């Protein structure tokens, strides 16, 4: 019994301590920390010299880390924790950048300190990832991706030029290109809006044929709103298609409105008013007056190798 209790106690302690051990962050070995072993010694030396050169010129600190595992964290969580634990950047200036790559999980992140968010905003960090890091990573060439990507980041930090509003807008536009779903939008939205357009303008045409003002007003509003919506969402061809549907429905409705049965239905209680224009809006003479208005009712400690900077939570992540 004593041995059983001891075994249970050991198992409990292991279960409690395992998550903490699993998320123990590595300590920095310098500016370039190749824990995943993807870089050669000469590449580590080259990138270390590059980071030191940037720090001498600007005071900003660049750290690179490759890891074998994110220990169950998202890349954003791991990068934030590692940045805080290492203190990348100068204290008070927060001018640090962390480039984190997890080859086995096919994900990376550029984490940017507060002081560099104007120089390396999220959109630009994402552009660097998409254009320089991940293309090489997809080819399995982690060395080239890390060296070229880090060199590009270092060049941006060394220039130390905050982006203008125009440059930020261009980055935002490039970050959200038209997707396949956007290309399919007219094929989905036009039939949906066309249903309401046909009903609305069909009713407006029937009102014209029956010389009833109410159906014209209601139909124009009911069909005009979806037409305006189709034009406002950037579907020029779709807007022309909706206009064609509206014209066809208007003609058909006009012809139907001139028929005696439809005319009586459109003019409602005013159907005996001769050929004069009336308000109308349907309803029957036996059912009392009818209104066209519907009733709505119802880790490890910081290392002295970095200056103690903080992350601003900015940056970008990428997958391949």
């Amino acid at each position: 019994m004593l041995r059983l209790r001891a075994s249970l106690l050991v198992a409990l302690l292991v279960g409690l301590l395992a998550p903490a051990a699993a998320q123990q962050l590595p300590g920095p070995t310098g500016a370039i920390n190749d824990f995943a072993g993807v870089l050669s010694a000469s590449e580590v030396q080259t990138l270390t010299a590059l980071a030191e050169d940037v720090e001498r010129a600007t005071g900003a600190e660049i750290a690179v880390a490759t890891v074998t595992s994110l220990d169950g964290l998202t890349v954003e969580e791991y990068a934030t924790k590692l940045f805080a634990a290492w203190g990348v950047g100068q204290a008070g200036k927060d001018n640090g950048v962390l480039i984190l790559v997890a080859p086995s999980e096919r994900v990376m992140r550029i984490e940017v300190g507060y002081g560099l968010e104007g120089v390396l905003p999220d959109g630009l960090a994402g552009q660097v990832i998409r254009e320089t890091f991940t293309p090489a990573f997809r080819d399995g060439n982690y060395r080239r991706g890390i060296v070229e990507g880090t060199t590009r980041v270092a060049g941006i930090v060394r220039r130390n030029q905050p982006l203008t509003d125009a440059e930020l807008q261009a980055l935002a536009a490039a970050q959200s290109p038209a997707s396949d779903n956007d290309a399919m939008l007219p094929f989905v939205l036009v039939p949906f809006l066309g249903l309401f357009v046909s009903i609305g303008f069909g009713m407006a045409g029937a009102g014209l044929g029956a010389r009833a003002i109410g159906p014209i007003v209601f139909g124009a509003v009911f069909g005009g709103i979806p037409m305006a919506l189709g034009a406002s969402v950037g579907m020029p061809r779709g807007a022309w298609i909706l206009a064609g549907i509206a014209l066809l429905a208007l003609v058909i409705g006009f012809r139907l409105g001139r028929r005696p049965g439809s005319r009586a239905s459109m003019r409602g209680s005013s159907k005996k008013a001769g050929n004069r224009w009336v308000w109308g809006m349907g309803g029957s003479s036996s059912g009392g007056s009818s209104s066209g208005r519907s009733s709505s009712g119802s880790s490890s400690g910081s290392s002295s190798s970095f200056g103690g900077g903080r992350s601003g939570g900015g940056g970008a992540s990428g997958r391949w």
Side-chain angles (χ1 to χ4, degrees):
M1 180 63 70
L2 182 60
R3 184 174 298 176
L4 177 60
R5 290 178 179 177
S7 299
L8 291 174
L9 180 60
V10 170
L12 178 61
L13 290 174
V14 170
L16 291 174
L17 294 176
Q23 293 184 6
Q24 181 69 25
L25 299 173
T29 59
I32 312 302
N33 304 266
D34 185 26
F35 302 119
V38 297
L39 298 173
S40 66
S42 62
E43 288 163 341
V44 171
Q45 290 178 352
T46 299
L47 292 177
T48 299
L50 178 66
E52 291 173 349
D53 179 65
V54 170
E55 185 175 3
R56 282 192 299 268
T58 66
E61 295 180 347
I62 297 176
V64 177
T66 68
V67 296
T68 56
S69 172
L70 297 176
D71 296 332
L73 300 175
T74 65
V75 68
E76 292 81 11
E77 293 170 337
Y78 196 98
T80 300
K81 290 178 179 292
L82 196 63
F83 198 115
W86 288 5
V88 185
Q90 294 175 322
K93 293 186 177 181
D94 303 323
N95 51 351
V97 177
L98 170 65
I99 299 172
L100 174 66
V101 181
S104 62
E105 302 193 28
R106 303 179 69 84
V107 66
M108 70 161 295
R109 180 166 178 82
I110 299 176
E111 188 76 12
V112 183
Y114 287 102
L116 289 178
E117 286 182 328
V119 174
L120 185 57
D122 299 356
L124 182 54
Q127 185 181 70
V128 172
I129 291 174
R130 293 191 303 271
E131 294 180 354
T132 309
F133 281 99
T134 54
F137 292 170
R138 290 191 190 98
D139 295 336
N141 198 333
Y142 291 100
R143 290 181 173 183
R144 179 168 64 85
I146 293 172
V147 170
E148 293 182 358
T150 303
T151 301
R152 184 173 174 183
V153 170
I156 294 169
V157 174
R158 183 186 284 109
R159 285 195 301 271
N160 196 30
Q161 294 178 353
L163 271 65
T164 64
D165 290 341
E167 290 172 328
L168 290 172
Q169 291 174 3
L171 282 172
Q175 204 169 4
S176 55
S179 64
D180 293 339
N181 291 335
D182 295 332
M184 291 297 297
L185 182 62
F187 298 98
V188 177
L189 199 55
V190 168
F192 176 74
L193 296 178
L195 175 64
F196 294 94
V197 169
S198 61
I199 293 173
F201 282 90
M203 180 175 290
L208 283 171
R211 300 179 70 84
I213 299 173
I216 297 174
V217 174
F218 178 81
V221 173
F222 190 85
I225 291 176
M227 276 195 67
L229 180 61
S232 67
V233 295
M235 297 191 310
R237 293 183 180 178
W240 282 107
I241 294 174
L242 292 176
I245 293 174
L247 181 61
L248 180 62
L250 194 68
V251 172
I252 295 174
F254 178 79
R255 291 182 176 179
L256 291 175
R258 293 175 64 86
R259 293 180 179 180
S262 299
R263 179 183 175 87
S265 177
M266 289 290 105
R267 296 173 70 87
S269 59
S270 304
K271 59 188 177 184
K272 295 182 180 180
N275 201 34
R276 298 194 309 269
W277 281 93
V278 297
W279 178 255
M281 286 301 284
S284 63
S285 58
S286 61
S289 63
S290 168
S291 171
R293 294 183 294 269
S294 61
S295 61
S296 60
S298 33
S299 108
S300 61
S302 298
S303 168
S304 59
S305 62
F306 294 107
R310 297 176 300 162
S311 166
S317 304
R319 295 182 178 275
W320 59 92

